[in-house]
Amino acid sequence: MEKTIIKDKLNRPLRDLRISVIDRCNFRCQYCMPADQFGPDFEFLPRSALLTYEEIERLGKIFVSLGVEKIRLTGGEPLMRKDMPILVKKLSAIEGLSDIGLTTNGVLLPKVASELKAAGLKRVNVSLDTLNDELFGQINGRGVGTGPVLEGIEAAKQAGLGVKINMVVKKGLNDTEIIPMAEYCKKQGLELRYIEFMDVGATNGWKMDDVVTKKQIYHLLKEHFEMEPVDPAYYGEVAKLYRYKDADVNVGFITSVSESFCSSCTRSRLSANGQIFTCLFNGNGHDIRNFMRNGATDEQIAERITAIWNGRDDRYSDERTAETHKTRKKIEMSYIGG
Ligand code: SAM
Ligand code: SF4
Ligand code: SF4
């Protein structure tokens, strides 16, 4: 497929698309959808507001024609959307797309892992912040132990999906789990990625003091393991990777707070109701759903996406201070997709 390469104001190409397929979730993780803010009365998007699978497929094709090579499905909890393998099949058939992945809390994987694989999914990132059942129940806000997630990981492995583990580290909450998680993942042959706690949205009570930085985690790991750096596999790779010297297993860091990587950020996000966000920390999105539903042609949609990307100058993490998170209006991560 002929691709048009489009660049933003800081000369960054559009390469990745994260699609949030649903804003709902079966967990209430403290750092993402705190239970006191996302209670029984919280108004989630009605079904009619969500992009249909046909609309997502259409937009996916247009995004790929504008340079996107990788798509990641996320949410909310993407596996709460019915018939996800149908969407995966549609997207994986798009010519010119080299990779399709999914980020999930893992609980529903045992039901669908093999169908997802058969539909063309290559990889899953499963979020797991501790191996301690009680602590995990507190973090996910639903009292769910680690068992269902570990079963989900096993199901994904059995289905032949690549599996990576995401662990958000928050000071005083789960920093004691850094080494146990490294030991577990190394033994299981799973790449673990430590994610610095971020000031996404406005509900998670973020403070700079709660962030455990890559440097701190790395020094702690060094006391237990011998590691060597791994070169980035491609331009814009988000994780800083290391390999254990005595095992063919990587361990990585998402350093969004302590070592920002905006200068090579090639990611666009599509929310479940069809708004385009050009940064995880945007306050407002650009509507594409209504434009599409009102009869825009593929060419007109491509022109609109191009104009949005050409006008992009986001670099929130480069500019972050202890104060910016209070003054900037930011959309919730469960809405726009992590
Ligand atoms: N529900 C799925 C899951 O948990 O994997 C997908 C959506 S979730 C928003 C995507 C990723 O964002 C997860 O790995 C989650 O741990 C991470 N995340 C959520 N809130 C975060 C925060 N405040 N700081 C850093 N990472 C966060
Ligand atoms: Fe749900 Fe994922 Fe957010 Fe946890 S991090 S509340 S699992 S969307
Ligand atoms: Fe990309 Fe925005 Fe994150 Fe910077 S802050 S890396 S521009 S999403």
Side-chain angles (χ1 to χ4, degrees), residues 223-292:
E223 290 172 17
H224 295 77
F225 308 99
E226 280 198 57
M227 299 173 292
E228 58 197 4
V230 176
D231 287 336
Y234 52 88
Y235 172 80
E237 185 168 60
V238 173
K240 296 192 173 66
L241 290 178
Y242 292 79
R243 185 179 296 117
Y244 296 111
K245 281 192 177 166
D246 60 350
D248 189 17
V249 181
N250 290 347
V251 59
F253 303 87
I254 314 278
T255 61
S256 331
V257 180
S258 68
E259 294 171 27
S260 59
F261 37 79
C262 299
S263 61
S264 60
C265 177
T266 54
R267 284 177 297 287
S268 180
R269 291 179 159 83
L270 182 62
S271 70
N273 61 348
Q275 300 208 356
I276 293 177
F277 290 82
T278 53
C279 175
L280 187 50
F281 300 92
N282 284 159
N284 295 304
H286 304 263
D287 169 68
I288 208 81
R289 183 198 62 192
N290 294 342
F291 187 55
M292 180 166 56

Side-chain angles (χ1 to χ4, degrees), residues 38-269:
F38 291 82
D41 298 333
F42 186 83
E43 280 192 37
F44 289 100
L45 294 169
R47 200 181 160 72
S48 58
L50 301 183
L51 292 177
T52 64
Y53 286 174
E54 288 68 30
E55 288 171 334
I56 295 177
E57 179 189 21
R58 182 174 174 204
L59 290 176
K61 281 184 186 157
I62 297 171
F63 268 98
V64 169
S65 76
L66 296 174
V68 162
E69 289 167 2
K70 296 181 177 187
I71 288 183
R72 174 159 293 278
L73 298 169
T74 177
E77 174 45 47
L79 297 183
M80 283 187 72
R81 181 104 184 233
K82 224 172 134 234
D83 299 326
M84 274 298 283
I86 294 179
L87 176 63
V88 169
K89 196 163 181 197
K90 286 181 186 297
L91 295 176
S92 58
I94 297 177
E95 199 194 324
L97 186 67
S98 64
D99 194 23
I100 169 158
L102 176 129
T103 304
T104 171
N105 61 32
V107 171
L108 297 170
L109 271 176
K111 284 191 182 157
V112 283
S114 42
E115 272 183 81
L116 288 169
K117 169 73 182 170
L121 189 71
K122 302 215 166 116
R123 302 179 292 111
V124 287
N125 285 12
V126 180
S127 303
L128 180 65
D129 304 323
T130 170
L131 292 164
N132 177 311
D133 282 320
E134 205 184 313
L135 179 58
F136 189 57
Q138 278 170 33
I139 294 176
N140 65 48
R142 287 284 195 242
V144 178
T146 59
V149 181
L150 299 178
E151 282 166 30
I153 292 170
E154 195 47 41
K157 279 165 86 177
Q158 291 297 329
L161 291 164
V163 183
K164 291 179 185 169
I165 307 296
N166 285 354
M167 171 181 177
V168 176
V169 186
K170 184 177 172 193
K171 198 175 283 172
L173 182 70
N174 66 338
D175 41 354
T176 51
E177 293 296 299
I178 291 170
I179 298 302
M181 282 289 291
E183 279 165 349
Y184 169 79
C185 291
K186 182 173 177 238
K187 205 164 150 201
Q188 296 289 320
L190 297 167
E191 180 175 313
L192 170 64
R193 290 131 53 103
Y194 296 98
I195 305 180
E196 292 177 347
F197 175 42
M198 289 187 284
D199 51 335
V200 284
T203 56
N204 70 4
W206 184 89
K207 298 196 296 302
M208 195 72 104
D209 285 351
D210 291 336
V211 178
V212 186
T213 63
K214 177 228 163 178
K215 216 172 176 178
Q216 291 165 330
I217 301 172
Y218 178 76
H219 283 301
L220 187 61
L221 287 179
K222 274 294 222 190
E223 290 172 17
H224 295 77
F225 308 99
E226 280 198 57
M227 299 173 292
E228 58 197 4
V230 176
D231 287 336
Y234 52 88
Y235 172 80
E237 185 168 60
V238 173
K240 296 192 173 66
L241 290 178
Y242 292 79
R243 185 179 296 117
Y244 296 111
K245 281 192 177 166
D246 60 350
D248 189 17
V249 181
N250 290 347
V251 59
F253 303 87
I254 314 278
T255 61
S256 331
V257 180
S258 68
E259 294 171 27
S260 59
F261 37 79
C262 299
S263 61
S264 60
C265 177
T266 54
R267 284 177 297 287
S268 180
R269 291 179 159 83

Side-chain angles (χ1 to χ4, degrees), residues 25 27 29 31-33 76 105:
C25 187
F27 278 1
C29 300
Y31 49 71
C32 178
M33 297 176 80
N105 61 32

